Amino acid sequence: ISNSEGDLLFLLDSSGSVSYYEFSRVKEFMWDLVQPFTFGPKDVQASIIHISTMPTMEFPFDRYLSSGTLQQAIRDTRQLMGDTNTGKALSYAKEKFFSDEAGARPDVPKVLVWVTDGFSTDDISEPMQLLKDMGVTVFIVSTGRGSYLELSAAASQPPEKHLHFVDVDDLPIITKELRDAILDVIQANRLHAVDITSSSFHLMWPKLLSQETGYYTLEYAPTDDLARKRTKQVSGAHTSLVLSNLAPETTYEVALIPESNVHYFPPLTTRVTTLAEEISPAQVVISESGPRSFHVSWAPTPDSVISYQILYGPLPGNSVKLLEVDGNHNSTVVENLAPNTTYLVTVTAIYKSGKERSLSAKACTQE
């Protein structure tokens, strides 16, 4: 997940009211939640603050700039024990959320994920309201205890989208839903792409105009050949558009310019890379057939293929054998066959992305 800029702060209950087992499961949940994000100064940044007797920052926003290093830092986080002074931790979080020293950035979306066992020994209502008043979106994950009324008032509205009650062993159930909700917040005011293929992507942007107040001009070009810029115009009623007929494995610079007759809006920009072209072997040729062998060749052989699997078996029948061939080769010899027999041969391209594409042909051995 790239082209998503935001500061993500985990408020982690590290007090003595949380068991070692619960703390370890919560760390696994956090580890899983951040796994697909791209981290960096132009993407997501993350930090952890411990709730304890005194709040403690585990690491600032700008320390870990890859998902691998961040996940390791989450694994290495140790429970502090102590009291559950959540109100103090929230006040500390407000200070760090907007601090250069903590690596926070101005003018990016701010998301707080508070993972709690539901208890606090001090008041949370005032510091939480101050955070929300400053534009922070608050998600709360309660591991089964605590007051619904208190926590639903503390979470951003509506609570059904921002508050989760879940047993600590069932945290994986909510991971994707929470991640998608965080992504919605981070991308709400951004131009971003979804449904990316080798030849197209679907652009989405926030509603800035209406049919009556203007239109959008969309400009896009490969980053290595900006002279090939293409332009489209769409009505102000639109908030998405599919761009197609694009080149595979190509990075595009995209700018959306709102042409408003009421207000000035700055252009929204993003960068999107299309996927590798994943095509089936377009041709499978059987040659040099003998009584106990034949030669199989196929084309094309794109660079994005890591290997080919050759499945073959007699017709009729259900016994199948497998040959593996390196992605740099486009032929192999199939041996130890029965004479005067028809075989079904299937060539499957295994792509670096994990996808597979196949094509079959029939082959006959000689008498």
Side-chain angles (χ1 to χ4, degrees):
I1 303 171
S2 57
N3 296 315
S4 303
E5 201 172 0
D7 288 341
L8 173 61
L9 177 61
F10 288 101
L11 196 62
L12 178 60
D13 192 340
S14 192
S15 68
S17 66
V18 177
S19 73
Y20 174 80
Y21 174 76
E22 288 175 317
F23 192 79
S24 65
R25 292 309 303 265
V26 168
K27 287 202 302 179
E28 287 175 27
F29 167 66
M30 291 162 56
W31 185 95
D32 199 29
L33 191 69
V34 302
Q35 193 270 329
F37 284 105
T38 303
F39 291 88
K42 293 293 183 185
D43 287 287
V44 174
Q45 293 187 165
S47 174
I48 293 176
I49 288 176
H50 291 271
I51 301 168
S52 184
T53 305
M54 294 300 294
T56 304
M57 177 180 282
E58 179 74 18
F59 49 81
F61 288 103
D62 55 355
R63 179 168 299 168
Y64 299 109
L65 301 181
S66 73
S67 61
T69 56
L70 178 64
Q71 286 174 304
Q72 188 59 51
I74 292 171
R75 278 200 186 100
D76 294 341
T77 299
R78 294 289 175 260
Q79 189 172 358
L80 300 184
M81 309 304 283
D83 294 331
T84 316
N85 289 331
T86 308
K88 275 186 184 175
L90 287 166
S91 298
Y92 183 73
K94 178 174 74 71
E95 174 193 320
K96 297 303 178 187
F97 239 140
F98 301 93
S99 152
D100 290 344
E101 167 211 353
R105 296 163 292 177
D107 306 322
V108 304
K110 311 285 187 187
V111 176
L112 176 71
V113 177
W114 172 27
V115 187
T116 174
D117 64 359
F119 294 111
S120 177
T121 50
D122 59 352
D123 178 61
I124 67 166
S125 55
E126 186 179 344
M128 188 67 90
Q129 191 57 52
L130 283 171
L131 273 169
K132 292 190 287 187
D133 289 346
M134 295 177 80
V136 177
T137 301
V138 177
F139 293 94
I140 301 176
V141 178
S142 178
T143 53
R145 300 187 290 276
S147 160
Y148 175 80
L149 288 176
E150 182 180 310
L151 293 178
S152 61
S156 291
Q157 299 300 305
E160 57 267 23
K161 188 173 179 182
H162 297 88
L163 173 61
H164 297 274
F165 278 88
V166 60
D167 187 84
V168 73
D169 287 318
D170 294 330
L171 283 168
I173 293 171
I174 67 164
T175 301
K176 185 180 185 304
E177 183 182 346
L178 179 58
R179 186 191 298 130
D180 289 347
I182 292 169
L183 197 58
D184 286 345
V185 173
I186 290 172
Q187 293 186 331
N189 296 309
R190 289 179 64 83
L191 175 67
H192 63 281
V194 296
D195 301 331
I196 301 169
T197 73
S198 60
S199 61
S200 67
F201 49 80
H202 186 176
L203 285 168
M204 303 182 74
W205 59 87
K207 184 172 177 58
L208 302 174
L209 307 175
S210 66
Q211 185 85 38
E212 295 75 33
T213 59
Y215 61 93
Y216 297 100
T217 299
L218 189 79
E219 299 176 347
Y220 60 105
T223 53
D224 58 358
D225 190 2
L226 295 175
R228 285 172 51 205
K229 181 172 75 175
R230 286 183 263 177
T231 303
K232 288 181 178 287
Q233 287 188 343
V234 293
S235 145
H238 284 71
T239 56
S240 71
L241 180 70
V242 175
L243 295 183
S244 52
N245 300 318
L246 305 175
E249 293 187 274
T250 302
T251 301
Y252 286 85
E253 297 282 350
V254 185
L256 181 79
I257 304 156
E259 311 277 8
S260 170
N261 53 29
V262 180
H263 301 289
Y264 167 74
F265 292 100
L268 303 180
T269 61
T270 190
R271 183 176 285 190
V272 187
T273 303
T274 52
L275 302 181
E277 190 169 19
E278 292 168 352
I279 54 175
S280 305
Q283 187 178 33
V284 174
V285 176
I286 310 295
S287 59
E288 301 172 27
S289 179
R292 295 193 174 273
S293 68
F294 50 73
H295 187 263
V296 184
S297 56
W298 55 89
T301 53
D303 291 340
S304 48
V305 172
I306 54 171
S307 67
Y308 293 93
Q309 291 183 345
I310 319 303
L311 283 168
Y312 60 99
L315 289 175
N318 56 8
S319 65
V320 176
K321 292 186 178 177
L322 170 67
L323 271 177
E324 297 245 19
V325 179
D326 185 86
N328 297 323
H329 296 89
N330 73 330
S331 67
T332 190
V333 176
V334 180
E335 298 177 306
N336 302 318
L337 303 175
N340 196 26
T341 302
T342 302
Y343 284 84
L344 179 66
V345 181
T346 301
V347 179
T348 301
I350 312 294
Y351 285 86
K352 291 172 183 173
S353 67
K355 293 186 178 178
E356 302 179 5
R357 296 288 185 270
S358 303
L359 188 69
S360 297
K362 286 182 183 177
C364 297
T365 51
Q366 296 178 7
E367 290 188 21

